[in-house]
Amino acid sequence: MAQVKITLTKSVAGRPQDQRATVIALGLHKTNSQVIKEATPQINGMLHKVRHLVTVEEI
């Protein structure tokens, strides 16, 4: 599977609790933090939910 680099570009302050939980489940904590994940259907669904808060790059 392809890997993706996920960067938290916007703060989760003032966002609904489910979006905050999704960002934490992806492994992101502070703005501009980055993680590398496999592009599975589960991760893609999580990214779709918080697409306005993150930047995604394929590796």
Side-chain angles (χ1 to χ4, degrees):
M1 297 222 101
Q3 290 188 329
V4 291
K5 180 167 54 169
I6 308 161
T7 306
L8 183 62
T9 54
K10 294 189 178 181
S11 173
V12 294
R15 301 292 176 179
Q17 184 61 36
D18 61 335
Q19 291 178 10
R20 291 182 192 193
T22 302
V23 168
I24 291 170
L26 285 169
L28 300 166
H29 299 287
K30 295 183 177 180
T31 306
N32 292 324
S33 61
Q34 296 179 341
V35 293
I36 296 176
K37 299 277 187 183
E38 291 289 327
T40 62
Q42 293 83 5
I43 296 295
N44 290 338
M46 295 168 79
L47 292 174
H48 182 73
K49 185 169 192 159
V50 294
R51 65 188 177 274
H52 56 288
L53 301 175
V54 299
T55 303
V56 180
E57 301 174 33
E58 284 195 34
I59 298 178

